[in-house]
Amino acid sequence: MSPEIRGQRSGEDPDARLEEARGLALAIGIVVAESYVLKVRDVRPNTLFGEGQVQRIATDCELHEAELVIVDGALSAIQQRNLEEKIGRKVIDRTGLILEIFGERAATAEGRLQVELAHLDYQQSRLVRSWTHLERQRGGFGFLGGPGETQIEADRRMIRERMGKLRRELEQVRKTRELHRKRRGRAPWPVIALVGYTNAGKSTLFNRMTGADVMAEDLLFATLDPTMRAISLPGVEKAILSDTVGFISDLPTQLVAAFRATLEEVTAADIVLHVRDIANPDTAQQKRQVLAVLEDLGVVDENGDGVDAPVIEVWNKLDLLSEEDREDLAAIATNDDSVLPISAITGEGIEALASRLGAVLTEGARTYSFLLSASDGARIAWLHAHGEVLSEVEAGEGEIEGDLVRRIEVRLTDKEYGRFEGLAG
Ligand SMILES: Nc1nc2c(ncn2[C@@H]2O[C@H](COP(=O)(O)OP(=O)(O)OP(=O)(O)O)[C@@H](O)[C@H]2O)c(=O)[nH]1
Ligand SMILES: [Mg+2]
């Protein structure tokens, strides 16, 4: 069921939205017997849908012997319970469904902790709501007694305690990861982070560029944990490409918070590569959703421009477009340095993408001249690996300082220069 509520989510295509909801259900192996959009004119506080609509859902459930009703929207705890009673089936909403998917997919310890925390947060908010509801039924005030209340109080305490424990565990995991990142920062390579709406083709592009075999499927949220691989680009011997979790509209706030840490990989990137499914009818809306999350993370400003690192947009799935649409896109892209049309499947445009990435990473390189000790092999090797070494000679007689006897002239970007300076000498 996809409730189309007047005044909400303007700009989204209800059919594309319904298709996405089906995709979410399929992502955890639910067999979808039937799906449709229901227009909600007046939101009923008790059931969301009108009586006739609830009846229709109940009848369809009977007809298909369905076990579960998914409402692709937000249900209050009361609406959920009332619908379950009237329809006689389990009912979940969009947040519930996405939490289920993440719960099933989370593979790392951190991912599991994050999802459980998000789940508890979701449950907690429902308990609070049903609790105030119960209180109102009893006629107000009293914080006293009642077996129902005691149970709920106990549940809430349990949830609070469990959440506290999870937060502490997560803190520990994050500290460890921070350490890893710092260590990585010392043997540094530029990082390119792939971001984008779920199913845009990030993992497919990742595989194409790295020759890796990461799970890429026509499945929403195929990727949950960030994966990294080394690649080489024109002018850049080694860079790290990082595949990340996809975004989705109305991502439960609990999950945004939970995955913030994972997405910090993106905030540390040298280039943010925004992968878009340009063939999806909702592509413009998807882009807005992705930019909203990136802005929330402090990666882009309110105009969608990268704050610390440039954002390059790739228009993926070019192969699915008509010849005419492709030509239109190509015309726009030739005039705009920040977009590139590609097909991760056919490989079209990938070479151009690699050169663009290489060019951006080496942009603004300057020539530096360093005096180094002949025994400083590691730093000399680093310069050869990262920069473009123009010359390496014995230092002239007058310029030798102590054991600093080699003069290296090399082109480095500002970032590489910073990294070189950070290397222990
Ligand atoms: N036709 C076509 N299909 C593509 C292209 N790139 C990716 N796909 C398909 O799109 C689907 C999703 O691709 P993924 O690479 O898993 O997408 P993702 O962005 O990693 O998705 P999540 O991990 O779920 O966020 C798969 O079925 C891919 O085969 C493309 O250039 N053309
Ligand atoms: Mg993926």
Side-chain angles (χ1 to χ4, degrees):
M1 263 6 80
S2 188
E4 193 196 325
I5 300 171
R6 223 172 20 177
Q8 278 188 10
R9 297 197 198 107
S10 51
E12 260 184 11
D13 172 6
D15 293 325
R17 176 70 186 232
L18 183 62
E19 197 44 49
E20 178 181 289
R22 288 175 56 95
L24 284 171
L26 291 171
I28 41 170
I30 292 172
V31 180
V32 181
E34 183 155 23
S35 58
Y36 42 81
V37 177
L38 284 177
K39 272 200 177 13
V40 176
R41 286 200 180 75
D42 308 295
V43 173
R44 305 288 169 96
N46 289 325
T47 51
L48 176 65
F49 300 108
E51 212 163 298
Q53 293 175 324
V54 175
Q55 198 47 56
R56 172 176 173 192
I57 300 172
T59 311
D60 286 335
C61 284
E62 282 302 322
L63 204 67
H64 296 289
E65 296 177 14
E67 292 163 38
L68 174 71
V69 175
I70 298 168
V71 178
D72 183 40
L75 289 176
S76 71
I78 296 162
Q79 289 169 342
Q80 182 182 6
R81 203 177 34 222
N82 286 336
L83 284 174
E84 283 185 343
E85 249 162 48
K86 285 181 192 289
I87 299 170
R89 307 288 196 285
K90 188 170 167 50
V91 176
I92 62 173
D93 68 359
R94 183 175 174 90
T95 298
L97 179 58
I98 294 176
L99 284 170
E100 285 297 325
I101 298 173
F102 274 64
E104 199 181 271
R105 289 293 149 67
T108 60
E110 184 176 18
R112 277 195 296 271
L113 289 173
Q114 284 166 335
V115 173
E116 191 183 346
L117 192 59
H119 224 132
L120 288 173
D121 192 25
Y122 177 67
Q123 276 177 20
Q124 187 186 41
S125 67
R126 327 228 99 197
L127 276 181
V128 171
R129 254 179 282 171
S130 56
W131 181 64
T132 46
H133 167 72
L134 281 181
E135 242 193 4
R136 218 175 306 125
Q137 272 189 339
R138 283 205 322 271
F141 324 102
F143 294 97
L144 303 166
E149 186 188 318
T150 319
Q151 184 53 47
I152 287 165
E153 265 304 302
D155 286 353
R156 292 177 71 194
R157 184 161 1 90
M158 209 187 68
I159 288 182
R160 253 197 325 267
E161 281 166 10
R162 179 81 187 131
M163 284 176 79
K165 186 161 178 289
L166 285 173
R167 288 213 175 88
R168 285 191 297 276
E169 281 178 40
L170 263 176
E171 199 46 48
Q172 199 50 50
V173 177
R174 276 174 200 162
K175 275 199 191 119
T176 318
R177 205 167 31 123
E178 186 65 23
L179 265 175
H180 282 311
R181 185 157 46 216
K182 287 231 177 79
R183 214 169 293 145
R184 188 142 39 84
R186 255 184 266 137
W189 311 97
V191 173
I192 301 164
L194 293 169
V195 299
Y197 208 80
T198 181
N199 223 39
K202 296 176 296 297
S203 298
T204 309
L205 179 60
F206 181 85
N207 287 344
R208 171 154 296 270
M209 295 189 77
T210 60
D213 192 15
V214 163
M215 166 153 136
E217 270 185 67
D218 193 5
L219 198 64
L220 300 180
F221 296 115
T223 309
L224 268 199
D225 300 296
T227 314
M228 303 196 205
R229 284 286 152 79
I231 54 170
S232 68
L233 297 164
V236 181
E237 196 193 4
K238 189 170 167 187
I240 305 292
L241 192 64
S242 155
D243 187 16
T244 65
V245 61
F247 303 159
I248 195 161
S249 63
D250 296 333
L251 190 66
T253 46
Q254 293 94 345
L255 275 178
V256 176
F259 277 81
R260 182 177 279 278
T262 312
L263 290 168
E264 274 164 14
E265 297 291 349
V266 177
T267 62
D270 295 88
I271 297 179
V272 176
L273 200 56
H274 178 182
V275 182
R276 290 180 60 192
D277 176 353
I278 206 69
N280 190 299
D282 250 1
T283 186
Q285 178 70 17
Q286 294 183 343
K287 172 177 172 173
R288 279 194 288 278
Q289 295 287 344
V290 169
L291 289 181
V293 179
L294 290 179
E295 191 184 336
D296 196 42
L297 289 167
V299 173
V300 302
D301 61 19
E302 66 276 10
N303 303 318
D305 295 323
V307 174
D308 292 323
V311 178
I312 297 179
E313 223 177 274
V314 293
W315 292 343
N316 190 33
K317 308 201 185 180
L318 203 57
D319 56 296
L320 295 180
L321 296 179
S322 69
E323 195 53 45
E324 206 183 334
D325 287 346
R326 294 161 58 115
E327 279 164 18
D328 286 350
L329 287 186
I332 302 172
T334 40
N335 293 319
D336 187 345
D337 260 4
S338 63
V339 298
L340 281 158
I342 64 157
S343 166
I345 288 271
T346 67
E348 188 179 348
I350 300 297
E351 232 169 276
L353 173 60
S355 348
R356 176 73 58 81
L357 293 173
V360 170
L361 286 178
T362 52
E363 198 164 76
R366 273 184 280 179
T367 305
Y368 295 89
S369 188
F370 297 111
L371 260 183
L372 292 165
S373 154
S375 64
D376 206 354
R379 297 176 88 210
I380 293 173
W382 192 96
L383 286 177
H384 278 277
H386 291 258
E388 189 189 339
V389 173
L390 304 174
S391 69
E392 181 180 351
V393 292
E394 298 290 321
E397 211 147 89
E399 44 172 19
I400 294 177
E401 296 171 17
D403 66 341
L404 300 178
V405 295
R406 291 195 81 74
R407 160 99 31 221
I408 294 189
E409 242 192 309
V410 59
R411 282 178 66 73
L412 294 175
T413 62
D414 284 354
K415 273 208 172 111
E416 283 164 348
Y417 176 71
R419 283 169 178 152
F420 179 71
E421 289 290 283
L423 292 180

